[in-house]
Amino acid sequence: MGQGAQPRRAQAYDGELGAAVERAQRGDEAAFAVAYRLVQPGLLGYLRGLVGDDAEDVASDAWLEIARDLGRFQGDGAGFRGWTAAIARHRALDHLRRRRARPRPSALEQDVLDLPGPRSTHDQALETISTEYVLELVRGLPRDQAEAVLLRVVVGLDGPAAARVLGKRPGAVRTAAYRGLKRLAGRLRAEGVTDEAPRTLGESS
């Protein structure tokens, strides 16, 4: 029964998150703060994989949009995580487009801008995925695998929700996440912390 399909952390928080979002939609500011605390760590990890050190700024922009459009959201806790990830992704793409004018665009910018628009060995990757080191390893995966892993493992979306964010079929996202996690688990097993970690998403060595 798909044991590593979605982080247990996110699943456990979804009921609380859904209730907080409902209250926030009725104007409860404390409930919005609860929703923020539950969603922000995964969202920030996802954005770090896309825009690196600018993740905090992009997340701030995303949360302004989330707060503004909260009344239009319909769904449960898991749906809210998917909705916020889609908003954050669009903000990240906007951010990378604005940076395009800079003299030396990075491979990260080119790869992410090309993306479509609007426990076993995997357990080892799931348990350590939030560390900075593993985020560096994720950036070294092919871009489809990297985004699938970030959305499935860091944000905690299921296959269909991640597929909606990426504009792809669920099967393709599931396969990309599986391959990415398998590759990560192999790297983590083989070599603790001394690999030279590629700095950009989609840079394959």
PDB file of all heavy atoms in Angstrom, residues 182-201:
ATOM      1  N   LYS A 182      15.873   6.756  -6.174  1.00  0.00           N
ATOM      2  CA  LYS A 182      16.772   5.608  -6.263  1.00  0.00           C
ATOM      3  C   LYS A 182      18.215   6.091  -6.437  1.00  0.00           C
ATOM      4  O   LYS A 182      19.146   5.589  -5.805  1.00  0.00           O
ATOM      5  CB  LYS A 182      16.341   4.737  -7.445  1.00  0.00           C
ATOM      6  CG  LYS A 182      16.990   3.378  -7.482  1.00  0.00           C
ATOM      7  CD  LYS A 182      16.373   2.523  -8.570  1.00  0.00           C
ATOM      8  CE  LYS A 182      17.121   1.217  -8.717  1.00  0.00           C
ATOM      9  NZ  LYS A 182      16.694   0.452  -9.879  1.00  0.00           N
ATOM     10  N   ARG A 183      18.368   7.087  -7.287  1.00  0.00           N
ATOM     11  CA  ARG A 183      19.698   7.646  -7.530  1.00  0.00           C
ATOM     12  C   ARG A 183      20.246   8.311  -6.264  1.00  0.00           C
ATOM     13  O   ARG A 183      21.418   8.159  -5.909  1.00  0.00           O
ATOM     14  CB  ARG A 183      19.561   8.677  -8.652  1.00  0.00           C
ATOM     15  CG  ARG A 183      20.821   8.982  -9.395  1.00  0.00           C
ATOM     16  CD  ARG A 183      20.426   9.547 -10.735  1.00  0.00           C
ATOM     17  NE  ARG A 183      21.524  10.317 -11.298  1.00  0.00           N
ATOM     18  CZ  ARG A 183      21.501  10.837 -12.503  1.00  0.00           C
ATOM     19  NH1 ARG A 183      20.434  10.693 -13.256  1.00  0.00           N
ATOM     20  NH2 ARG A 183      22.526  11.516 -12.956  1.00  0.00           N
ATOM     21  N   LEU A 184      19.389   9.078  -5.580  1.00  0.00           N
ATOM     22  CA  LEU A 184      19.801   9.717  -4.331  1.00  0.00           C
ATOM     23  C   LEU A 184      20.201   8.700  -3.274  1.00  0.00           C
ATOM     24  O   LEU A 184      21.219   8.854  -2.605  1.00  0.00           O
ATOM     25  CB  LEU A 184      18.652  10.552  -3.767  1.00  0.00           C
ATOM     26  CG  LEU A 184      18.427  11.950  -4.321  1.00  0.00           C
ATOM     27  CD1 LEU A 184      17.237  12.577  -3.618  1.00  0.00           C
ATOM     28  CD2 LEU A 184      19.666  12.814  -4.163  1.00  0.00           C
ATOM     29  N   ALA A 185      19.367   7.666  -3.119  1.00  0.00           N
ATOM     30  CA  ALA A 185      19.646   6.637  -2.114  1.00  0.00           C
ATOM     31  C   ALA A 185      20.985   5.975  -2.411  1.00  0.00           C
ATOM     32  O   ALA A 185      21.778   5.712  -1.501  1.00  0.00           O
ATOM     33  CB  ALA A 185      18.526   5.602  -2.093  1.00  0.00           C
ATOM     34  N   GLY A 186      21.258   5.710  -3.681  1.00  0.00           N
ATOM     35  CA  GLY A 186      22.533   5.106  -4.068  1.00  0.00           C
ATOM     36  C   GLY A 186      23.708   5.998  -3.719  1.00  0.00           C
ATOM     37  O   GLY A 186      24.716   5.548  -3.188  1.00  0.00           O
ATOM     38  N   ARG A 187      23.557   7.288  -3.993  1.00  0.00           N
ATOM     39  CA  ARG A 187      24.639   8.236  -3.674  1.00  0.00           C
ATOM     40  C   ARG A 187      24.866   8.338  -2.178  1.00  0.00           C
ATOM     41  O   ARG A 187      25.993   8.389  -1.705  1.00  0.00           O
ATOM     42  CB  ARG A 187      24.300   9.617  -4.224  1.00  0.00           C
ATOM     43  CG  ARG A 187      24.632   9.790  -5.680  1.00  0.00           C
ATOM     44  CD  ARG A 187      24.330  11.203  -6.078  1.00  0.00           C
ATOM     45  NE  ARG A 187      24.876  11.497  -7.383  1.00  0.00           N
ATOM     46  CZ  ARG A 187      24.757  12.672  -7.981  1.00  0.00           C
ATOM     47  NH1 ARG A 187      24.109  13.642  -7.381  1.00  0.00           N
ATOM     48  NH2 ARG A 187      25.271  12.872  -9.166  1.00  0.00           N
ATOM     49  N   LEU A 188      23.773   8.419  -1.437  1.00  0.00           N
ATOM     50  CA  LEU A 188      23.888   8.542   0.018  1.00  0.00           C
ATOM     51  C   LEU A 188      24.541   7.303   0.617  1.00  0.00           C
ATOM     52  O   LEU A 188      25.343   7.394   1.542  1.00  0.00           O
ATOM     53  CB  LEU A 188      22.506   8.748   0.640  1.00  0.00           C
ATOM     54  CG  LEU A 188      21.869  10.120   0.389  1.00  0.00           C
ATOM     55  CD1 LEU A 188      20.396  10.100   0.787  1.00  0.00           C
ATOM     56  CD2 LEU A 188      22.611  11.212   1.154  1.00  0.00           C
ATOM     57  N   ARG A 189      24.171   6.124   0.070  1.00  0.00           N
ATOM     58  CA  ARG A 189      24.745   4.871   0.561  1.00  0.00           C
ATOM     59  C   ARG A 189      26.222   4.796   0.228  1.00  0.00           C
ATOM     60  O   ARG A 189      27.051   4.435   1.052  1.00  0.00           O
ATOM     61  CB  ARG A 189      24.017   3.698  -0.083  1.00  0.00           C
ATOM     62  CG  ARG A 189      23.470   2.708   0.899  1.00  0.00           C
ATOM     63  CD  ARG A 189      22.845   1.497   0.282  1.00  0.00           C
ATOM     64  NE  ARG A 189      23.025   1.350  -1.128  1.00  0.00           N
ATOM     65  CZ  ARG A 189      22.055   1.534  -2.030  1.00  0.00           C
ATOM     66  NH1 ARG A 189      20.851   1.907  -1.659  1.00  0.00           N
ATOM     67  NH2 ARG A 189      22.287   1.364  -3.309  1.00  0.00           N
ATOM     68  N   ALA A 190      26.532   5.155  -1.010  1.00  0.00           N
ATOM     69  CA  ALA A 190      27.900   4.992  -1.486  1.00  0.00           C
ATOM     70  C   ALA A 190      28.885   5.905  -0.782  1.00  0.00           C
ATOM     71  O   ALA A 190      29.992   5.517  -0.487  1.00  0.00           O
ATOM     72  CB  ALA A 190      27.957   5.234  -2.992  1.00  0.00           C
ATOM     73  N   GLU A 191      28.499   7.149  -0.525  1.00  0.00           N
ATOM     74  CA  GLU A 191      29.535   8.116  -0.140  1.00  0.00           C
ATOM     75  C   GLU A 191      29.073   9.097   0.902  1.00  0.00           C
ATOM     76  O   GLU A 191      28.937  10.142   0.665  1.00  0.00           O
ATOM     77  CB  GLU A 191      29.948   8.843  -1.418  1.00  0.00           C
ATOM     78  CG  GLU A 191      31.104   9.771  -1.315  1.00  0.00           C
ATOM     79  CD  GLU A 191      32.427   9.089  -1.380  1.00  0.00           C
ATOM     80  OE1 GLU A 191      32.686   8.352  -2.319  1.00  0.00           O
ATOM     81  OE2 GLU A 191      33.173   9.302  -0.441  1.00  0.00           O
ATOM     82  N   GLY A 192      28.739   9.039   2.013  1.00  0.00           N
ATOM     83  CA  GLY A 192      28.304  10.100   2.905  1.00  0.00           C
ATOM     84  C   GLY A 192      28.237  11.523   2.397  1.00  0.00           C
ATOM     85  O   GLY A 192      27.292  11.915   1.797  1.00  0.00           O
ATOM     86  N   VAL A 193      29.292  12.316   2.585  1.00  0.00           N
ATOM     87  CA  VAL A 193      29.134  13.755   2.366  1.00  0.00           C
ATOM     88  C   VAL A 193      30.198  14.362   1.476  1.00  0.00           C
ATOM     89  O   VAL A 193      30.312  15.567   1.395  1.00  0.00           O
ATOM     90  CB  VAL A 193      29.167  14.491   3.738  1.00  0.00           C
ATOM     91  CG1 VAL A 193      28.752  15.938   3.630  1.00  0.00           C
ATOM     92  CG2 VAL A 193      28.307  13.773   4.742  1.00  0.00           C
ATOM     93  N   THR A 194      31.015  13.560   0.781  1.00  0.00           N
ATOM     94  CA  THR A 194      32.154  14.186   0.116  1.00  0.00           C
ATOM     95  C   THR A 194      32.031  14.284  -1.395  1.00  0.00           C
ATOM     96  O   THR A 194      32.948  14.736  -2.037  1.00  0.00           O
ATOM     97  CB  THR A 194      33.465  13.440   0.457  1.00  0.00           C
ATOM     98  OG1 THR A 194      33.252  12.048   0.220  1.00  0.00           O
ATOM     99  CG2 THR A 194      33.857  13.678   1.882  1.00  0.00           C
ATOM    100  N   ASP A 195      30.911  13.880  -1.978  1.00  0.00           N
ATOM    101  CA  ASP A 195      30.728  14.098  -3.415  1.00  0.00           C
ATOM    102  C   ASP A 195      30.851  15.575  -3.724  1.00  0.00           C
ATOM    103  O   ASP A 195      30.453  16.401  -2.951  1.00  0.00           O
ATOM    104  CB  ASP A 195      29.311  13.684  -3.855  1.00  0.00           C
ATOM    105  CG  ASP A 195      29.256  12.219  -4.197  1.00  0.00           C
ATOM    106  OD1 ASP A 195      30.327  11.643  -4.406  1.00  0.00           O
ATOM    107  OD2 ASP A 195      28.141  11.674  -4.234  1.00  0.00           O
ATOM    108  N   GLU A 196      31.388  15.911  -4.910  1.00  0.00           N
ATOM    109  CA  GLU A 196      31.275  17.301  -5.303  1.00  0.00           C
ATOM    110  C   GLU A 196      29.845  17.490  -5.771  1.00  0.00           C
ATOM    111  O   GLU A 196      29.388  16.876  -6.711  1.00  0.00           O
ATOM    112  CB  GLU A 196      32.276  17.648  -6.398  1.00  0.00           C
ATOM    113  CG  GLU A 196      32.087  16.865  -7.681  1.00  0.00           C
ATOM    114  CD  GLU A 196      32.999  17.347  -8.786  1.00  0.00           C
ATOM    115  OE1 GLU A 196      34.182  17.000  -8.724  1.00  0.00           O
ATOM    116  OE2 GLU A 196      32.541  18.049  -9.702  1.00  0.00           O
ATOM    117  N   ALA A 197      29.118  18.315  -5.043  1.00  0.00           N
ATOM    118  CA  ALA A 197      27.684  18.438  -5.297  1.00  0.00           C
ATOM    119  C   ALA A 197      27.444  19.480  -6.374  1.00  0.00           C
ATOM    120  O   ALA A 197      27.824  20.626  -6.219  1.00  0.00           O
ATOM    121  CB  ALA A 197      26.972  18.863  -4.012  1.00  0.00           C
ATOM    122  N   PRO A 198      26.833  19.093  -7.496  1.00  0.00           N
ATOM    123  CA  PRO A 198      26.533  20.081  -8.532  1.00  0.00           C
ATOM    124  C   PRO A 198      25.658  21.194  -7.952  1.00  0.00           C
ATOM    125  O   PRO A 198      24.815  20.950  -7.107  1.00  0.00           O
ATOM    126  CB  PRO A 198      25.754  19.275  -9.570  1.00  0.00           C
ATOM    127  CG  PRO A 198      26.130  17.852  -9.331  1.00  0.00           C
ATOM    128  CD  PRO A 198      26.388  17.770  -7.854  1.00  0.00           C
ATOM    129  N   ARG A 199      25.866  22.398  -8.436  1.00  0.00           N
ATOM    130  CA  ARG A 199      25.192  23.540  -7.847  1.00  0.00           C
ATOM    131  C   ARG A 199      23.853  23.871  -8.508  1.00  0.00           C
ATOM    132  O   ARG A 199      23.146  24.728  -8.048  1.00  0.00           O
ATOM    133  CB  ARG A 199      26.096  24.763  -7.904  1.00  0.00           C
ATOM    134  CG  ARG A 199      27.228  24.720  -6.925  1.00  0.00           C
ATOM    135  CD  ARG A 199      28.048  25.997  -6.989  1.00  0.00           C
ATOM    136  NE  ARG A 199      28.568  26.244  -8.335  1.00  0.00           N
ATOM    137  CZ  ARG A 199      29.629  25.663  -8.832  1.00  0.00           C
ATOM    138  NH1 ARG A 199      30.292  24.780  -8.128  1.00  0.00           N
ATOM    139  NH2 ARG A 199      30.046  25.940 -10.048  1.00  0.00           N
ATOM    140  N   THR A 200      23.558  23.247  -9.632  1.00  0.00           N
ATOM    141  CA  THR A 200      22.344  23.673 -10.332  1.00  0.00           C
ATOM    142  C   THR A 200      21.429  22.515 -10.670  1.00  0.00           C
ATOM    143  O   THR A 200      21.874  21.430 -10.981  1.00  0.00           O
ATOM    144  CB  THR A 200      22.701  24.410 -11.646  1.00  0.00           C
ATOM    145  OG1 THR A 200      23.439  23.528 -12.470  1.00  0.00           O
ATOM    146  CG2 THR A 200      23.499  25.653 -11.378  1.00  0.00           C
ATOM    147  N   LEU A 201      20.159  22.805 -10.633  1.00  0.00           N
ATOM    148  CA  LEU A 201      19.135  21.822 -10.984  1.00  0.00           C
ATOM    149  C   LEU A 201      19.287  21.448 -12.437  1.00  0.00           C
ATOM    150  O   LEU A 201      19.387  22.308 -13.295  1.00  0.00           O
ATOM    151  CB  LEU A 201      17.769  22.476 -10.759  1.00  0.00           C
ATOM    152  CG  LEU A 201      16.531  21.666 -11.053  1.00  0.00           C
ATOM    153  CD1 LEU A 201      16.413  20.534 -10.042  1.00  0.00           C
ATOM    154  CD2 LEU A 201      15.300  22.546 -10.964  1.00  0.00           C
TER     155      LEU A 201
END
